Amino acid sequence: MKEPLWTKNFILVSMINFIIMLSMYLLLVTIGGYAVTEYHVSTSLAGLVSGIFIVGSLFGRFWAGKYIDILGQKKILIIGGLIFTITTALYFLSFNLPLLIIVRLLNGIGSGIASTATGTIAAFITPVNRRGEGISYFSMSTVLSTAIGPFLGMFLLQFISYQQLFIICLIIAVIALILIPMIKIAPHIEPVKSNMPKGLHISDFIDKNALPIGFVVLITCTAYSSVLSFISFFTKENDLVTAGSFFFLVYAITVLLSRPVTGRMMDTKGTNIVMIPSFISFIIGLVLLSLTHNALLLWISAIFIGFGYGNFQSIAQAIAVKVTEPHKIGLATSTFFIFLDFALGFGPYALGSIIPSTGMHGLYAIMSIVVIIGLIAYLLLHGKKAHLYR
């Protein structure tokens, strides 16, 4: 008989992760507009206001990765939840641009700490023989937030003010904070004693076992950052704004339909049987996007990208957990997200500089080559020894 997956704790931690990520994405796509409207800043400064959140998230993940297996997952989640909720309330006191930037940085730190904790708890409470399936289901909470958050934020601002949007985000954060005490952590996943030497060491923040898949994540997620950041510009350039509003909806539906199947396949047949087709699908999706001039092709590309990148992300997270020792799952989870955040946070800045030379269609053609490099890196760094982690 299979060990149960959908326990009360698993549902709660997935809900908390969804709520925190929803609040994050509600503001991630709208706070730049707020900075321009309220403080009349340039678009580059507006981008800084939006992107500084990711920098804060990276700081939060570094800290959480070091202390989560010492203080315990639930304590770290409470700390992250408190910081996230308090700093969400501070948006009302951001009377100038420097204050807003500081609040965004601190808000990101809270998000990074909390989401590292939820990811770690989800990995721990999932039965070992169903870990790929469990992480696939858990990571759908993030997928839903990335689809619903941007859509909801842009939709609501047609009818409400930014201040009212901040109220909604604060209410959402408070709900997550209220749910945290309801999670019950079993004694065997409470804090472990640390024998780490004093001082700062890279091993305090990065799990060396998760580094190989981390490098693959860095390459592949940089390619995805081009979709996340520039798809709205791409659809506007090609007169596909209406069709483009459904891009992430099609993407999310594809992920929701495929992840339960791919998660089980990983647990029974290994990672390669899912990862290699995911890379190929992602490459096809980007090639189709580079050729897109109509709505149908745009949505078809969303299907391929959803199956490709959507499954890559969850399986890569599961790999990071599988390759490390049980007492370092928190550190491995943090390592995975550090590389993910770095790619999604800084990728757009690097890629934006090449758009004037390549054009939007050329950008996505180049990104398909980047994913091919990611596939090669995966095969060399993990794929050839994937059978050792069955």
Side-chain angles (χ1 to χ4, degrees):
M1 183 179 291
K2 284 186 177 181
E3 293 182 72
L5 182 62
W6 290 100
T7 61
K8 176 187 174 183
N9 283 334
F10 186 83
I11 293 170
L12 278 172
V13 77
S14 298
M15 286 176 60
I16 291 167
N17 187 68
F18 168 74
I19 291 169
I20 290 173
M21 292 293 100
L22 180 66
S23 178
M24 166 188 161
Y25 280 102
L26 270 169
L27 290 181
L28 200 62
V29 297
T30 56
I31 198 70
Y34 171 74
V36 171
T37 303
E38 191 74 14
Y39 304 118
H40 311 290
V41 301
S42 65
T43 53
S44 60
L45 272 177
L48 174 64
V49 170
S50 179
I52 198 71
F53 184 97
I54 302 296
V55 176
S57 181
L58 278 169
F59 280 120
R61 293 195 192 282
F62 274 114
W63 184 86
K66 177 177 171 65
Y67 290 105
I68 194 165
D69 294 318
I70 301 171
L71 299 178
Q73 296 90 337
K74 190 169 180 179
K75 283 184 181 177
I76 294 294
L77 180 54
I78 291 170
I79 291 169
L82 281 170
I83 294 173
F84 185 73
T85 304
I86 292 169
T87 53
T88 300
L90 290 179
Y91 281 111
F92 297 103
L93 302 177
S94 302
F95 300 123
N96 55 52
L97 185 64
L99 276 177
L100 180 61
I101 291 173
I102 292 170
V103 169
R104 287 290 290 165
L105 181 70
L106 295 174
N107 202 215
I109 289 173
S111 173
I113 293 172
S115 56
T116 297
T118 55
T120 303
I121 293 171
F124 263 113
I125 65 179
T126 301
V128 175
N129 62 343
R130 300 185 70 184
R131 190 157 279 162
E133 182 182 2
I135 290 178
S136 290
Y137 279 121
F138 169 77
S139 58
M140 284 196 293
S141 62
T142 300
V143 173
L144 285 173
S145 67
T146 59
I148 296 172
F151 167 78
L152 200 57
M154 296 173 74
F155 176 78
L156 287 174
L157 279 179
Q158 298 178 61
F159 309 100
I160 64 175
S161 67
Y162 283 106
Q163 295 296 319
Q164 290 170 321
L165 186 66
F166 293 154
I167 292 173
I168 291 172
C169 290
L170 180 58
I171 292 170
I172 291 171
V174 169
I175 291 171
L177 198 60
I178 292 170
L179 291 176
I180 291 173
M182 299 181 189
I183 298 175
K184 305 300 179 186
I185 307 296
H188 69 282
I189 58 172
E190 279 298 337
V192 297
K193 297 294 182 184
S194 173
N195 296 315
M196 291 188 300
K198 292 182 179 179
L200 294 177
H201 305 270
I202 189 66
S203 58
D204 297 347
F205 306 100
I206 299 289
D207 178 37
K208 68 180 190 318
N209 297 308
L211 267 179
I213 195 64
F215 284 123
V216 177
V217 167
L218 181 65
I219 295 167
T220 309
C221 294
T222 296
Y224 181 68
S225 74
S226 68
V227 178
L228 198 60
S229 299
F230 301 120
I231 194 68
S232 60
F233 297 99
F234 178 80
T235 54
K236 186 175 181 180
E237 182 181 285
N238 289 275
D239 297 320
L240 295 170
V241 175
T242 304
S245 63
F246 292 97
F247 182 90
F248 286 106
L249 181 61
V250 175
Y251 169 94
I253 290 171
T254 304
V255 177
L256 290 173
L257 292 176
S258 62
R259 271 195 183 170
V261 177
T262 55
R264 285 195 296 270
M265 287 178 67
M266 175 191 167
D267 288 330
T268 56
K269 300 181 183 297
T271 57
N272 286 350
I273 198 167
V274 178
M275 285 293 265
I276 294 172
S278 295
F279 273 108
I280 294 171
S281 181
F282 192 12
I283 293 164
I284 293 171
L286 288 169
V287 170
L288 290 176
L289 200 54
S290 72
L291 301 172
T292 291
H293 290 281
N294 60 70
L296 180 60
L297 200 54
L298 180 70
W299 294 333
I300 293 173
S301 72
I303 293 172
F304 277 99
I305 292 172
F307 181 84
Y309 176 78
N311 285 291
F312 163 81
Q313 181 182 333
S314 65
I315 302 302
Q317 184 180 348
I319 290 171
V321 170
K322 276 179 175 284
V323 299
T324 197
E325 300 103 307
H327 68 281
K328 288 187 176 180
I329 285 180
L331 186 60
T333 302
S334 172
T335 301
F336 166 82
F337 281 113
I338 284 169
F339 281 96
L340 176 70
D341 278 355
F342 194 90
L344 297 183
F346 295 100
Y349 291 102
L351 299 179
S353 64
I354 70 172
I355 291 175
S357 303
T358 64
M360 295 302 301
H361 290 87
L363 172 69
Y364 292 122
I366 292 171
M367 289 304 99
S368 67
I369 297 172
V370 171
V371 179
I372 292 173
I373 295 170
L375 172 57
I376 295 169
Y378 168 78
L379 293 173
L380 293 175
L381 296 174
H382 181 82
K384 64 182 181 181
K385 56 182 179 181
H387 62 281
L388 298 175
Y389 303 102
R390 287 286 298 275

